Amino acid sequence: MFGISEAAVLIIVAVLVFGAKKLPELARSAGKSLRILKSEAKALKSEGRAEGADSPSAARYSVRPAPGERPAAAGEEDPGGAPRGS
């Protein structure tokens, strides 16, 4: 993706912008942030598998009719022409 010359330019720019003393601290901070993000994503993924699709939380995201709107019968079309209730 990057060649050696592009990487060298990026390193030089980073040193000029942040300073040589600040770069290790920034790298450590970025590494910690990425580790935390990765572990949280893994936890959410495993939590989603443990709950399954038939859990009450899955019903929380189902489509329901708006207040005052009658539920559509299976196969009935909405005014836009798309089938409803399937």
Side-chain angles (χ1 to χ4, degrees):
M1 192 160 120
F2 284 114
I4 293 176
S5 62
E6 289 92 355
V9 169
L10 287 176
I11 290 171
I12 291 170
V13 169
V15 169
L16 290 174
V17 171
F18 297 111
K21 292 183 180 180
K22 195 77 168 171
L23 278 179
E25 183 181 325
L26 289 172
R28 266 192 296 281
S29 175
K32 285 180 185 179
S33 299
L34 287 174
R35 253 192 314 276
I36 292 169
L37 180 66
K38 185 177 177 181
S39 67
E40 290 295 324
K42 186 183 278 189
L44 284 174
K45 194 180 281 189
S46 66
E47 182 180 303
R49 286 189 192 130
E51 288 181 6
D54 58 338
S55 70
S57 66
R60 176 175 41 187
Y61 299 108
S62 65
V63 178
R64 297 183 183 146
E69 182 180 303
R70 68 176 179 82
E76 184 180 331
E77 291 189 5
D78 71 357
R84 291 176 59 183
S86 48

